[in-house]
Structure formats: structure tokens, C-alpha cells
Amino acid sequence: MLAREKAAMTIDRPVAGGAVAGSSRWFWPSVGACLFVQLVLAVDCARQWTPTHDEYWHLPIGLRIWTSGRFDDDVINPPLVRLWAAIPLALGGASPGETGPRPDPVAIGDAFWSGSANDERARTWFFLGRLMIVPLATLTGLIVAVWARAWYGERAALVSVLLWTCCPTVLANAALVTHDLPLTAAWMATLLALVRFAERPSWRGALWFGAALGVAQLTKLTALILGPLSIVLWFVLRWPAQIRDQALRNSELAGTPFNPHRDAIRPIPNSEVPDPTSLHGSEKRGRVAALWCAALAVSLLVVNAGYLFRGTCTSLKAVPLASGRLQGVQRAMGPLGGLPIPLPLSYLTAADRLAQDLERQHAVYLDGEWGNRPFAGYYVAALRYKLPLSTLVLCLVAFGAVAWPRPSTPDRRRAAFLLIAAGVLPVLASGSANQIGIRYILPTLPLLHLFAGQAARWMSDSHGRALQLLMWATVAMAPLALRYHPHHLAYFNAVAGGPVEGRWHLVDSNLDWGQDLHALKAYLDRHPEVTDLGLAYFGMVIPARVGIESDHHPPRRLPAPGWYAVSVNFSQGRPHSVRDANGVHTAVGLEDFWYFRFFQPVARIGYSIDVYHLTEQDVARFALELQQLQP
């Protein structure tokens, strides 16, 4: 009996609560169909979109690393994702262009664009780089499928995969050369390896987990959280198992049936309580410590190998730090600061740059309000506005599936694992001033999709028919979130009012990241009546390089007659900068283009750029209403 119970708790077979529905031969074809649809839509977005704000330098920096072998360009991000995306460019003979000795990221993007033979060729290179990111969404979907199937059964796994593939935020980030989707893939791979390691501790499991953890560190510095988080999650999975195993043994020795609701919580004498870090009571604390040391050693080896072991074991005292936080650590270590640190020098520099960035004040926007301090509820609101309603509803239902009827120990343990893993990034990021997009907590999404799959338990014939139909209808709604294709980056659900009204809740990379400049060019080609255009574009691509000739920006603070194309970030008040035909940056202050909110656009380009035609009458009407509002 004990052996059977242990086998049921491993990730290699479904638990009874997630019984498989239907023929299993349809499971993988169904998963494959969902992921194929996601892949096709992501490729189409990658083909159409203008390089977004950060992509403008991420991809060229990857090419520069291939050609120069140096890691000192924009060190805030590890090199792995950039190198991976730039493989087609390195093999295809793309030129990184000429720059000065210490170029900033924008200069690197400008040099790449001008060194790519022509503008269309540059766009092709970006498309090829994006194609390297798209399969990582497919990989993450497969991880969700394997994990959910093992824990909850095939029906739940199909629900989780459907939610993943129909999530516009996921799809949008899969089509961009940024670090967020690769981090998500590595995050999920690491947690799945952790689950296998925790449920079946072994040297092999420890080494696989360590390797996955190391790769995650090379995708984005956010993965630093994974180390301590994994230790917590290990005990979440292991601790309840010890009490349950001991209760099973006690019941077997006494010759009485095991009752999970009675025996799992029955007090056990201290002499009989197994060590919490033991392995089913037979292995000792030293073996667990050795397994963890091996895993962490492998992760450090992978991180150092990713930087070619350059500057490994440099002391913290020898690193010139600029952030207040790390300078404080440096001072606090005193003489210990001279000890070697088993990390590459560029990795330490990246951590310093990240700390600097987090110390700066950023203009933050939520629900129509600008502030210079972080909003505590920013990421909760972002999830509420950006996740499809089907996902939100099924997450709530999943809470019911876990809480009622009375959950088993594996159900409680697994629910705690998923909720802690999903909650750590939103909680930590809520205290950061760098609140400019849901992409910063993207690894949370597949964990929520996996958790929501438990709602499939309420879709069986054992429950009321009305509830069953409601659950099927909710699942069937999931593909409706894709109806705005290809404008998935600007997606908002019905609670937020859709992509048009979403600007009143969130901006920045939640909505407008410069992705629609080529779409604006196509609109202008179809409408020759639009002349002498004043342009305020939120992005790094110089508009003249895609064929948009605009020699002026809209007037500041007060309107004037004419044709204007304005990024939503600017009309909502975002401070930033705009570039002219020569690439010169002009600062834009908070609310410089606020008056565009008063007018209705004649066209919306991908929900991120609005086109306005202001007449003398429009300007006069604005002046009159403004005068009436003034005391």
C-alpha cells in the first residue's frame, strides 16, 4: 500500500483526482494542434511588427557578441538570449555596422540598421531573429502539458495548454526578441526539474535541476530569484509527504485502514517524526545537502561557461560598483569583500546595473493616474486587465476544485507549490518602481494556466449538469481572446474595455511598444490626403527609414490644425523622447501631448498609434471648453 501511495505522488503518473477523460491517443495531437496555431500566429506577428523599443538593440548586440566575442554592450542582460536570436544573422552574414568604442544601446541599433544594406533587409534580419524566439513558446507549452498531465490528468492538461496558447500576452512576447519569453521557458523548465528532483531525489535529478537553474540565470537576471525560491518549493513538496508517509506506516503497523483526513493530521511522537529533509525516512540530511550542493555547483558552472569563465572568482571589492545597494553590501562585507566570488565579472556588473535601474524613479501609470512611486496593486491589476476572462474564471474555479471537496495532501501540496511559484514575481515586482509592463512577471502566466487546469475536475459527469456546461462554455471562450490578431501586444480583456479602452488602465509595453510604425506607413500609402504629418512615435526606429517623411512633431501642450500621428503612450501623458528624421532625440515631458485625449482619431493603427485630423473648428472648440473648465 505504501509503495502504491508513493508512486501516485510522483510526477510520472496522474493522480486519481485528475483522471483522464477520453481516449489518450487524442491527447498529443490535440496539444500539437493548439501549439501549432500559437506558432503560426506568432510567426505572423513577427513578420508584420516593427522592431519594438528594446528589440532595436537586443538583436544587434547579439550579433556584435558573435562577431567580437565581447560581453560589455548593455551588460544589464546576460548574453544567452541575444546570442540565440542572432544565430541566423551570424550565419547569414549580417553586418553590425560601425560604432564608436563605447556606444550606447540606441547607437548600436542605429549602426545595425544603417549597416544592413537597406531598410527592408534590416526588417528581414529582425524577422529571422524573432523566429528563434517563437519555438520557446512551444517548448513552454509542452512543459505545461507534461506537468499538468502528470499532476491532474489529460483533461486538465488540455485545458492548461489551451489557455497558454490562447493568451495574447504570451503570443505577443513569443514574437519579440526580448528576454521575457525565454526567461519564462527556462523558469518552467527549472521548476519542472525541481519537481522531479523533489519527488524522486537522485543525483541525476539534482544535476538536471542544477543545469536548468544555470541556464535560467543566463536568460535574465530576474532568475536570481529562482535559487531561494526553489529551496522553499522543495520543502513545500517534501514536508507534507513525510507526515503522510509516517501516518501510512503507523496505519499499516497497527493493521487499521489509513484515513487521509484523520491520520494525516494525527499527532506523531517526536521520536517517530522523520527528519524533514530525509528521503522517505531512509536517507539522511547529509545526502540531501550533498544533492543540493551538486545542483548549485552545476548551476554556477553553467553560468560561468555562459560567460566563457571571464572574470570568474573576481572579488567583490575589486568590482567598481555604482548602485547604492551593492555598494552597501560591499561596505558591509569589510575584509570578506576580498574573497573571490564564483561568478563572472560581467554577471556581477549586470547585477549592479540592474540595481541601479531599480533605484531610479520611473513615471508609473495605472488606471489613469501617473505617479513617481510604485503602485502596490500594479501587477494584480495588470493580470486582471490583460489575462483573458476564461483564464480568470478558471483560476477562480480551480480554487474551488482544490478547496472542495476536502483536498488530499498531494492536492494541497501541489496547489501551494503553484501559488507560491506564481505569486513570488508579482509580490516582489510590486515594490519596484520599474512598473512598465506585465512582461516583467511573464513566468507567472504558465503557472496560472497550469493551476487553472484543475477546473477540469468540475467538467465531469459527477457534478451538476449546469455547472458542467458552464465550465465547457468558459473553456470554449478561450480562443476568442485571439480575435484581435495581430494586435496581441495591445490586448485587454472585456473588464478593461478591450484594446481601445485599455489605455485608461495601462500603457508602455502593455499596449504601445513601437510595434506599429510599418502599419502606419501602410496606412499613409493608402491615404494620400494625409499631408504634412506631425509625428510623435514611441519607438527607436527612425521613421524616415521606413519611408515616413515627417519633419516636425505635434505642438506641445496646446493643439494646432493639421494631420498628426501620435503614439498612445504620448497621448496618455508618458514622458520619453521622440526622434526626428536624422535620429536626434527630443525630450517629451509628462502630459506634453495630453490634449489629444480631447479629440477622436480618424484612424487607429494597431491600437498603439492614433491618427488625428484637427481643423480650425476643432481647435476653437477645444479652446472654448478649456476656458469653461478654468476657474
Side-chain angles (χ1 to χ4, degrees):
M1 176 178 175
L2 181 58
R4 289 197 302 271
E5 181 67 17
K6 288 179 180 178
M9 290 193 294
T10 66
I11 195 169
D12 292 324
R13 66 176 63 188
V15 296
V20 175
S23 174
S24 61
R25 67 180 179 179
W26 295 108
F27 176 74
W28 287 113
S30 299
V31 169
C34 290
L35 295 177
F36 179 74
V37 170
Q38 183 190 56
L39 185 146
V40 170
L41 294 179
V43 169
D44 192 46
C45 292
R47 178 184 63 85
Q48 295 188 52
W49 290 351
T50 303
T52 54
H53 192 284
D54 291 9
E55 279 185 295
Y56 191 67
W57 55 77
H58 282 327
L59 187 63
I61 288 175
L63 179 60
R64 284 170 61 92
I65 297 174
W66 281 117
T67 57
S68 70
R70 299 180 56 172
F71 301 122
D72 54 356
D73 288 327
D74 190 38
V75 296
I76 193 172
N77 290 293
L80 181 61
V81 175
R82 292 162 164 174
L83 283 168
W84 171 256
I87 288 176
L89 285 67
L91 295 177
S95 170
E98 298 294 331
T99 63
R102 302 291 294 177
D104 63 29
V106 178
I108 292 173
D110 289 344
F112 171 74
W113 202 287
S114 61
S116 300
N118 56 65
D119 296 338
E120 192 58 36
R121 186 65 170 163
R123 193 180 181 191
T124 300
W125 290 131
F126 273 98
F127 173 63
L128 293 176
R130 287 167 167 176
L131 291 185
M132 299 297 290
I133 305 298
V134 173
L136 299 180
T138 305
L139 172 63
T140 310
L142 290 174
I143 293 172
V144 170
V146 169
W147 192 343
R149 186 179 189 232
W151 273 13
Y152 304 120
E154 290 190 352
R155 177 179 287 170
L158 285 174
V159 170
S160 296
V161 171
L162 182 67
L163 296 178
W164 168 258
T165 55
C166 293
C167 180
T169 298
V170 169
L171 206 159
N173 283 274
L176 301 176
V177 181
T178 57
H179 299 259
D180 304 298
L181 197 280
L183 171 66
T184 302
W187 194 280
M188 290 296 289
T190 302
L191 291 182
L192 179 59
L194 173 68
V195 169
R196 291 187 180 276
F197 176 38
E199 293 184 335
R200 289 186 174 181
S202 66
W203 289 106
R204 183 180 180 182
L207 296 180
W208 276 111
F209 164 66
L213 180 62
V215 171
Q217 308 305 311
L218 292 173
T219 59
K220 194 174 182 180
L221 284 183
T222 306
L224 283 168
I225 302 167
L226 266 177
L229 174 64
S230 295
I231 295 173
V232 172
L233 294 177
W234 161 277
F235 285 101
V236 169
L237 284 181
R238 292 298 306 157
W239 188 288
Q242 311 308 318
I243 306 302
R244 183 177 179 86
D245 289 348
Q246 188 63 35
L248 282 165
R249 291 189 193 91
N250 292 344
S251 297
E252 289 179 341
L253 291 174
T256 58
F258 173 69
N259 183 324
H261 301 312
R262 180 196 67 220
D263 298 332
I265 60 175
R266 186 176 60 191
I268 301 174
N270 290 335
S271 60
E272 298 182 15
V273 175
D275 183 83
T277 58
S278 66
L279 306 180
H280 300 299
S282 62
E283 300 290 338
K284 299 302 179 183
R285 190 175 295 176
R287 178 173 169 81
V288 175
L291 290 172
W292 269 97
C293 287
L296 296 177
V298 170
S299 69
L300 286 174
L301 180 65
V302 171
V303 171
N304 283 281
Y307 283 91
L308 303 179
F309 297 93
R310 293 178 183 172
T312 298
C313 290
T314 302
S315 68
L316 188 63
K317 187 177 181 180
V319 180
L321 300 174
S323 67
R325 294 179 184 179
L326 290 188
Q327 284 178 347
V329 172
Q330 199 176 44
R331 290 191 297 269
M333 291 186 68
L336 296 178
L339 296 176
I341 297 178
L343 288 169
L345 177 60
S346 292
Y347 195 82
L348 296 175
T349 307
D352 184 47
R353 279 283 309 280
L354 176 62
Q356 278 184 277
D357 196 50
L358 295 176
E359 289 169 0
R360 296 192 187 100
Q361 285 192 342
H362 296 264
V364 183
Y365 178 89
L366 177 64
D367 292 331
E369 179 185 351
W370 285 100
N372 57 9
R373 290 182 173 274
F375 292 101
Y378 181 90
Y379 286 103
V380 173
L383 292 170
R384 186 170 73 247
Y385 296 140
K386 296 286 287 182
L387 288 180
L389 293 182
S390 55
T391 300
L392 295 175
V393 170
L394 292 176
C395 279
L396 291 175
V397 173
F399 278 105
V402 170
W404 186 89
R406 193 172 180 180
S408 64
T409 298
D411 280 342
R412 291 197 302 267
R413 191 170 66 250
R414 291 165 178 172
F417 182 100
L418 293 176
L419 293 176
I420 292 172
V424 65
L425 279 181
V427 169
L428 294 178
S430 294
S432 166
N434 202 19
Q435 296 176 338
I436 55 177
I438 192 176
R439 64 189 180 88
Y440 282 99
I441 60 165
L442 198 66
T444 293
L445 271 56
L447 293 164
L448 291 178
H449 296 147
L450 206 160
F451 180 81
Q454 297 175 85
R457 299 181 182 184
W458 296 77
M459 297 162 64
S460 66
D461 295 330
S462 61
H463 298 288
R465 186 169 179 82
L467 181 60
Q468 182 184 359
L469 291 175
L470 177 62
M471 290 300 96
W472 278 111
T474 304
V475 172
M477 284 170 51
L480 292 178
L482 304 177
R483 65 189 182 277
Y484 297 108
H485 180 79
H487 310 302
H488 304 292
L489 190 63
Y491 172 83
F492 285 83
N493 60 34
V495 171
V500 174
E501 299 298 323
R503 67 185 65 189
W504 300 107
H505 303 290
L506 302 167
V507 290
D508 267 298
S509 58
N510 296 299
L511 169 62
D512 172 17
W513 219 15
Q515 71 270 21
D516 289 315
L517 189 63
H518 281 90
L520 175 62
K521 175 62 168 65
Y523 172 83
L524 296 176
D525 290 343
R526 296 192 306 268
H527 295 83
E529 71 275 11
V530 180
T531 58
D532 195 25
L533 181 72
L535 178 62
Y537 165 64
F538 185 90
M540 291 295 102
V541 177
I542 300 174
R545 289 182 175 170
V546 303
I548 299 178
E549 301 298 335
S550 174
D551 59 0
H552 66 284
H553 307 304
R556 308 297 177 95
R557 296 292 175 176
L558 293 173
W563 284 97
Y564 303 102
V566 184
S567 287
V568 170
N569 280 343
F570 288 135
S571 63
Q572 293 301 114
R574 172 75 154 91
H576 197 253
S577 66
V578 289
R579 308 192 73 184
D580 62 19
N582 297 316
V584 176
H585 292 263
T586 302
V588 174
L590 185 68
E591 298 286 14
D592 271 358
F593 300 125
W594 71 276
Y595 59 84
F596 283 106
R597 299 199 293 267
F598 178 83
F599 303 103
Q600 283 296 319
V602 298
R604 299 188 190 276
I605 311 300
Y607 303 104
S608 73
I609 300 176
D610 292 335
V611 178
Y612 298 87
H613 183 212
L614 305 186
T615 64
E616 295 281 0
Q617 291 79 9
D618 293 328
V619 174
R621 180 167 53 88
F622 172 85
L624 179 61
E625 297 208 14
L626 184 63
Q627 184 179 15
Q628 292 175 346
L629 288 174
Q630 292 176 343

